[in-house]
Amino acid sequence: MVSFPYGPMATQPLGWFKKPITKMEDFKGMKFRTVGISIDVFTGLGAAVNALPGGEIVPAMDRGLLDGAEFNNASSDRLLGFPDVAKVCMLQSYHQNAEQFEIMFNKTKYDALPAKMKAIIEYAVEASSADMSWKGIDRYSKDYIEMQQKQGVKFFKTPDAILQQQLTAYDAAVAKRKDNPLFVEIEASQRAFAERAVRWDLDTNVNRRMAYNHYFAPKAPAKK
């Protein structure tokens, strides 16, 4: 199998809930939907996790079978119908703070292609990935605003105490998989890349909040 990276995804929300999540105790016994290694992360927060497929999440929340759930991003969450069954979305989370899609091909078939066809595939995937990234920012930001203005959704930032506990729960999830050589190899590779790339990002890229507030935040009334 040969794969090409395709389309980075922004940080996923912590999830959709009936009321804001303000403290760790709010997760105790909560019936929550997530998938993958995030099952261990949210279980570590105290939730009772149910790994439902995407199409079953909103009906389950509507019937009270789930107290909260996470899926993906503003556009797909809106399309799935989350705003119809929950009006609170908690933003920012480490459970899927970034992700990358892939397009995979049968390696034997791919290797048998002429060089020109291989190049066409490679450049097409790269172009589609860039296109998705740009359009994603446009779609997500529009749906983010419209869910607030047209559907009454309220967004809140996930408290730092919960974000920190997610990291602790992730460490425990990794420890459970130490006997899986492939997992250990991949996790070590990702960690090494993150140490280098994230340090560069933190040191190099300016925080945009100051500029955003300068241009777009409501101005305090002038003192009389």
Side-chain angles (χ1 to χ4, degrees):
M1 192 72 70
V2 61
S3 65
F4 296 93
Y6 175 76
M9 181 73 71
T11 298
Q12 295 190 12
L14 180 75
W16 291 79
F17 307 90
K18 300 296 184 181
K19 59 182 181 180
I21 302 299
T22 61
K23 55 188 182 303
M24 280 301 306
E25 288 73 20
D26 292 339
F27 271 107
K28 300 302 180 184
M30 174 186 291
K31 295 174 290 186
F32 187 82
R33 182 272 177 189
T34 189
V35 292
I37 195 171
S38 298
I39 292 173
D40 288 342
V41 172
F42 281 95
T43 299
L45 299 183
V49 175
N50 188 343
L52 289 175
E56 297 181 18
I57 304 171
V58 169
M61 290 190 72
D62 190 37
R63 297 196 302 269
L65 302 177
L66 289 174
D67 302 314
E70 65 83 27
F71 185 65
N72 206 286
N73 61 70
S75 296
S76 62
D77 288 4
R78 187 184 187 193
L79 185 63
L80 210 60
F82 275 98
D84 297 329
V85 295
K87 296 300 183 183
V88 171
C89 182
M90 303 297 300
L91 297 177
Q92 301 188 20
S93 178
Y94 281 122
H95 80 278
Q96 282 181 268
N97 71 96
E99 63 180 297
Q100 198 81 24
F101 294 117
E102 292 179 316
I103 295 180
M104 295 188 289
F105 299 88
N106 181 289
K107 191 175 189 308
T108 301
K109 298 287 187 180
Y110 177 82
D111 289 343
L113 294 174
K116 182 178 181 179
M117 185 61 68
K118 289 181 180 177
I120 290 174
I121 291 174
E122 182 174 352
Y123 285 115
V125 171
E126 289 182 358
S128 296
S129 178
D131 180 75
M132 178 181 175
S133 302
W134 305 330
K135 290 182 178 178
I137 294 172
D138 184 54
R139 287 195 306 269
Y140 301 160
S141 58
K142 286 178 179 176
D143 283 322
Y144 174 64
I145 296 298
E146 289 194 358
M147 281 192 287
Q148 295 175 71
Q149 295 180 347
K150 297 181 179 181
Q151 295 178 282
V153 174
K154 295 185 180 299
F155 292 91
F156 300 90
K157 180 192 175 298
T158 299
D160 287 347
I162 292 175
L163 295 175
Q164 183 62 57
Q165 191 59 37
Q166 281 188 318
L167 297 176
T168 300
Y170 173 77
D171 290 342
V174 169
K176 289 170 57 177
R177 292 163 172 80
K178 63 182 179 181
D179 294 329
N180 183 329
L182 180 59
F183 180 92
V184 171
E185 178 184 354
I186 293 172
E187 204 269 344
S189 175
Q190 291 177 333
R191 189 179 290 257
F193 177 80
E195 183 177 16
R196 168 170 55 86
V198 176
R199 177 174 179 177
W200 168 84
D201 176 61
L202 293 173
D203 290 349
T204 303
N205 292 317
V206 66
N207 188 311
R208 289 172 289 200
R209 185 165 296 279
M210 182 186 295
Y212 184 90
N213 289 340
H214 178 78
Y215 290 106
F216 306 116
K219 304 299 182 184
K223 295 182 179 179
K224 295 181 180 181

